[in-house]
């Protein structure tokens, strides 16, 4: 493998690169040749995981969030992700902008209208009538539960682990480096490389699912605008075109141009949000912004611990609703964990653990709150709160990707706004693919610097090929197949991320004697600094003692991202303090 890598002009770890590439290509061939068998296998695998391990996914993410809060508030919060003298490379504003660009653009565009409307029209809780005010409040709380603090805990934990072990222990930028406390130098051997290969495969397939969702939404938008058929082959054509565009940007070196496009894209998305705010019931939305925050705060603990344990005693039993929503979300999101972990670590060097956790958890979560309130509540109001539903819920029932475009039918300049939305989704697709290629290449090489163009181009084409294959595999079922694949692929990644907690705890314990506990007065002063805009990498950041690089570790050398209706119908009991749900088919994302 070393000889082949040299002949091909690669700068990577040959074993990790060739095993990851070989297995990915092999899986693609198997998927295409044995479509029926593969579809059945993933369907069976998803059903088993959801039924027997759904509780593990739901409890796990809540545990990760609690652990992160504890670390931030503990004495370890003073430690820097880097050497003692390192300072943040980016201002607070730039850092927050990159957090948005890295993880939530495509997701918010896809689910901003679709998820609240789905829960609004098909409430998961007993005795809650569809389209009622109570259903609307529940829909907003569930949407925020799925896409705010818990989702960002999935990104924050690996990001913190990467930043800590890579920058303080001077280890390669690979997933296996996080497990140094368990494996020591064996992270460079077969066990470590196996971890890296599994993480890369999960990342590629997770990104492919996101690209598939984005492609479905672009197809829906073009169908509305120019009458493009909403079909499998239209989606393949779209994903092929955008993949070639993203790969071309890698080859010709348009990094600055892509960065500029990304910034423009973010501003355009924010512009769409402001447009909706202005041309909707503005006062109602501003009132809901405050009220929804309070409702989410009161519901988050019951929702985070809700496992639908009584579902097995209902008519059909099973994990219908949560299997199609919460478990799918966590399994899908965790496949982005290595990608987002590396991204967050790279842009956060020099920040303290406390600054990192507070910033990464809260800033995107607050933006998500604003986005969902403006798009979600506007959509539910248009559809008729207290009525019998309207065109938006009908569109979601027909095809989830249509939701955003049907929503814009209720605003002025409809065609223009729908066209802008298509462009925004397409640009998010291209820039995400470009960035993902860079990160996957880093996970192979262990080097924080970009590898040769040919390596990144290979991964860009591979991600597009996997996404196209999954679309073909899913056929008319579309998102159903994507959900089945990602639930199965997400399980091993979920286990790896869970094991990062003890690894990180052991690593932090090595520095216990170097960190003095923070007094109450110090905490109050630092919190005051953060409120004034100085606490996250600013001039007012804490200057207390930080740990030095662990003496026991020597610098390491390297060699070189419509969920289906389930068959089960469940009667769902709402978490403590809430209502519960009659027997009905589970809602379909």
């Amino acid at each position: 493998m070393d000889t082949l890598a040299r002949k091909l002009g690669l700068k990577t770890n040959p074993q990790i690169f060739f095993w990851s590439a070989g297995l990915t290509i092999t899986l693609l061939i198997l998927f295409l040749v044995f479509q029926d068998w593969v579809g059945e296998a993933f369907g069976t695998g998803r059903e088993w995981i959801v039924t027997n391990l759904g509780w593990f996914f739901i409890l796990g993410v809540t545990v990760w969030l609690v652990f992160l809060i504890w670390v931030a508030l503990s004495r370890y919060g003073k430690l820097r992700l880097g050497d003692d003298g390192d300072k943040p490379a980016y201002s607070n504003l730039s850092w927050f902008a990159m957090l948005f660009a890295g993880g939530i653009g495509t997701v918010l565009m896809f689910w901003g209208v679709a998820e609240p409307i789905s829960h609004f029209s098909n409430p998961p809780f007993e005795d809650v009538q569809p389209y009622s005010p109570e259903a609307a409040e529940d829909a907003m709380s569930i949407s925020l539960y799925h896409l705010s603090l818990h989702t960002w805990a999935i990104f924050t934990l690996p990001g913190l682990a990467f930043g800590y072990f890579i920058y303080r222990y001077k280890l390669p930028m690979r997933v296996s480096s996080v497990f140094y406390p368990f494996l020591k130098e064996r992270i460079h051997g077969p066990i470590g490389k196996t971890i890296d290969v599994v993480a890369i495969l999960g990342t590629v397939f997770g990104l492919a699912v996101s690209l598939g969702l984005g492609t479905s939404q672009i197809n829906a938008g073009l169908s509305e605008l120019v009458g493009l058929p909403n079909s499998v082959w239209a989606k393949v054509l779209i994903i092929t075109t955008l993949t070639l565009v993203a790969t071309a940007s890698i080859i010709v070196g348009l990094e600055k141009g892509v960065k500029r496009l990304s910034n423009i894209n973010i501003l355009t998305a924010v512009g769409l949000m402001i447009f909706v705010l202005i041309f909707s019931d503005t006062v109602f939305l501003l009132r809901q912004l405050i009220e929804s925050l309070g409702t989410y705060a009161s519901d988050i603990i019951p929702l985070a611990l809700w496992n639908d344990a009584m579902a097995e005693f209902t008519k059909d039993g099973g994990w219908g609703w949560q299997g199609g929503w919460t478990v799918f979300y966590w399994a899908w999101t965790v496949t982005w964990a290595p990608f987002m972990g590396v991204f967050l670590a790279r842009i956060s060097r020099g920040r303290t653990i406390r600054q990192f956790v507070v910033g990464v958890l809260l800033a995107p979560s607050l933006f998500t709150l604003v986005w969902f309130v403006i798009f979600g509540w506007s959509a539910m109001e248009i559809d008729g709160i207290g009525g019998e539903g309207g065109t938006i819920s009908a569109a979601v029932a027909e095809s989830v990707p249509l939701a955003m475009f049907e929503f814009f039918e209720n605003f002025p300049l409809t065609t223009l706004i729908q066209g802008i939305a298509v462009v925004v989704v397409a640009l998010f697709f291209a820039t995400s693919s470009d960035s993902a290629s860079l990160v996957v290449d880093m996970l192979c090489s262990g080097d924080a610097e970009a590898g040769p163009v040919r390596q990144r181009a290979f991964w860009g084409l591979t991600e597009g090929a996997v996404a196209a294959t999954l679309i073909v595999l899913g056929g008319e079922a579309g998102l159903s197949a994507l959900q089945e694949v990602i639930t199965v692929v997400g399980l091993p990644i979920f286990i790896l991320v869970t094991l990062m907690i003890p690894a990180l705890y052991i690593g932090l314990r090595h520095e216990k004697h170097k960190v003095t506990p923070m007094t109450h007065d110090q905490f109050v002063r630092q919190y005051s600094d953060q409120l004034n805009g100085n606490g996250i990498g600013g001039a007012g950041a804490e200057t207390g003692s930080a740990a030095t690089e662990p003496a026991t570790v020597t610098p390491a050398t390297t060699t070189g991202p419509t969920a289906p209706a389930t068959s089960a119908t469940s009667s769902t009991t709402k978490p403590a303090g809430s209502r519960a749900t009659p027997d009905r088919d589970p809602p379909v994302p």
Side-chain angles (χ1 to χ4, degrees):
M1 289 187 182
D2 295 295
T3 302
L4 180 59
R6 283 195 299 271
K7 289 183 177 180
L8 293 175
L10 304 180
K11 184 182 177 183
T12 187
N13 184 299
Q15 289 77 25
I16 297 174
F17 178 86
F18 285 119
W19 271 105
S20 300
L23 287 173
T24 301
I25 294 172
T26 301
L27 288 173
L28 287 183
I29 295 172
L30 290 175
F31 285 2
L32 291 173
V33 174
F34 303 103
Q35 290 187 32
D36 293 339
W37 181 85
V38 169
E40 183 179 347
F42 275 111
T44 302
R46 175 192 173 273
E47 183 179 356
W48 185 90
I49 290 171
V50 166
T51 301
N52 295 284
L53 295 177
W55 64 270
F56 173 60
F57 281 90
I58 293 170
L59 177 63
V61 179
T62 298
V63 169
W64 300 355
L65 178 58
V66 172
F67 173 78
L68 289 167
I69 295 172
W70 171 78
V71 169
L73 297 178
S74 73
R75 65 182 69 187
Y76 304 119
K78 291 182 176 182
L79 296 175
R80 290 194 179 276
L81 302 180
D83 296 328
D84 294 345
D86 285 350
K87 297 298 181 182
Y90 302 99
S91 67
N92 294 340
L93 184 60
S94 296
W95 190 52
F96 292 150
M98 285 187 285
L99 292 178
F100 171 78
I104 56 178
T106 305
V107 174
L108 292 185
M109 288 295 294
F110 191 90
W111 293 112
V113 170
E115 177 161 7
I117 285 291
S118 294
H119 306 322
F120 177 55
S121 57
N122 290 282
F125 303 127
E126 196 172 292
D127 300 328
V128 177
Q129 295 301 314
Y131 310 109
S132 66
E134 194 175 33
E137 291 179 352
D138 288 344
M140 186 54 57
S141 286
I142 294 169
S143 299
L144 292 174
Y145 164 56
H146 282 155
L147 288 166
S148 54
L149 286 175
H150 278 70
T151 282
W152 280 92
I154 295 174
F155 298 151
T156 306
L157 178 57
L160 177 59
F162 274 126
Y164 180 78
F165 286 105
I166 291 169
Y167 295 136
R168 294 192 71 83
Y169 278 55
K170 312 302 181 188
L171 293 172
M173 190 167 280
R174 291 203 291 261
V175 176
S176 57
S177 295
V178 175
F179 301 99
Y180 183 88
F182 302 144
L183 301 176
K184 303 302 181 186
E185 297 305 319
R186 286 177 293 173
I187 62 171
H188 306 298
I191 297 177
K193 291 173 182 175
T194 300
I195 291 174
D196 292 322
V197 170
V198 170
I200 291 167
L201 289 175
T203 301
V204 169
F205 278 86
L207 291 167
V209 168
S210 296
L211 299 182
L213 292 176
T215 299
S216 298
Q217 193 170 34
I218 293 170
N219 192 183
L222 292 177
S223 179
E224 286 283 310
L225 291 170
V226 298
L228 181 71
N230 198 345
S231 65
V232 171
W233 293 110
K235 294 182 179 71
V236 172
L237 177 62
I238 292 170
I239 207 167
T240 300
T241 301
L242 292 177
T243 297
L244 291 176
V245 170
T247 305
S249 73
I250 296 172
I251 294 174
V252 300
L254 296 178
E255 283 82 2
K256 291 184 179 179
V258 170
K259 182 178 180 180
R260 193 171 292 115
L261 278 177
S262 181
N263 291 336
I264 293 173
N265 207 33
I266 293 167
L267 293 175
T268 306
V270 172
L272 281 176
M273 183 174 68
I274 295 173
F275 173 84
V276 173
L277 175 64
I278 293 173
F279 287 96
S280 294
D281 188 343
T282 306
V283 174
F284 170 73
L285 295 180
L286 293 176
R287 292 170 64 190
Q288 278 296 348
L289 186 62
I290 300 171
E291 188 166 319
S292 295
L293 176 61
T295 304
Y296 170 59
S298 66
D299 286 349
I300 185 172
I301 294 178
L303 286 172
L305 299 176
W306 173 40
N307 269 272
D308 206 5
M310 299 301 290
E312 63 180 289
F313 299 108
T314 62
K315 179 180 177 182
D316 294 319
W319 270 70
W321 191 90
Q322 283 194 315
W325 282 99
T326 308
V327 177
F328 163 62
Y329 265 135
W330 298 166
W332 170 33
T333 307
V334 82
T335 58
W336 277 63
F339 165 44
M340 283 298 296
V342 170
F343 172 76
L344 293 173
R346 286 197 75 204
I347 66 174
S348 304
R349 182 169 186 169
R351 297 185 185 273
T352 65
I353 289 177
R354 184 171 295 116
Q355 293 164 0
F356 177 84
V357 172
V358 171
V360 178
L361 280 181
L362 291 186
S365 295
L366 288 174
F367 186 88
T368 300
L369 169 71
V370 175
W371 185 278
F372 265 105
V373 165
I374 291 176
F375 280 88
W377 274 112
S378 294
M380 289 188 287
E381 186 181 33
I382 290 170
D383 221 42
I385 299 175
E388 297 181 356
T391 58
I392 303 177
S393 56
V396 170
E398 178 185 348
S399 173
V400 171
L402 284 172
M404 180 71 75
F405 301 101
E406 181 61 39
F407 172 70
F408 284 134
E409 291 283 351
N410 299 277
F411 292 86
L413 305 174
T414 299
T415 302
L416 174 63
I417 298 302
Q418 288 177 334
I420 291 174
V422 171
V423 172
V424 168
V425 175
L427 287 178
F428 272 132
F429 178 114
T431 53
S432 295
S433 178
D434 199 336
S435 301
S437 302
L438 174 63
V439 171
V440 172
D441 186 50
M442 288 179 182
L443 292 175
C444 288
S445 67
D447 192 347
E449 300 301 321
V453 169
R454 68 193 67 185
Q455 292 175 196
R456 288 178 285 145
F458 168 80
W459 288 116
L461 292 171
T462 299
E463 290 154 12
V466 173
T469 301
L470 293 180
I471 288 174
V472 172
L473 179 66
E476 295 304 320
L479 299 183
S480 302
L482 297 182
Q483 187 193 44
E484 291 174 351
V485 170
I486 210 59
T487 303
V488 175
V489 173
L491 178 59
I493 309 299
F494 198 92
I495 294 172
L496 284 178
V497 176
T498 300
L499 292 175
M500 289 181 183
I501 290 180
L504 188 56
Y505 179 74
I506 293 171
L508 292 171
R509 290 281 295 180
H510 283 307
E511 306 197 61
K512 179 179 180 181
H513 65 286
K514 303 173 186 175
V515 185
T516 56
M518 175 178 281
T519 66
H520 174 73
D521 290 340
Q522 288 173 326
F523 180 81
V524 171
R525 284 198 299 273
Q526 176 175 302
Y527 183 64
S528 176
D529 285 341
Q530 290 184 5
L531 287 179
N532 292 328
N534 298 322
I536 303 182
E542 69 264 31
T543 57
S545 61
T548 59
E549 181 187 338
T552 56
V553 181
T554 58
T557 58
T558 65
T559 55
T562 317
T566 57
S567 59
T569 302
S570 65
S571 176
T572 306
T573 303
K574 185 166 184 180
S578 308
R579 288 113 6 220
T581 195
D583 292 336
R584 63 163 61 93
D585 291 335
V588 180

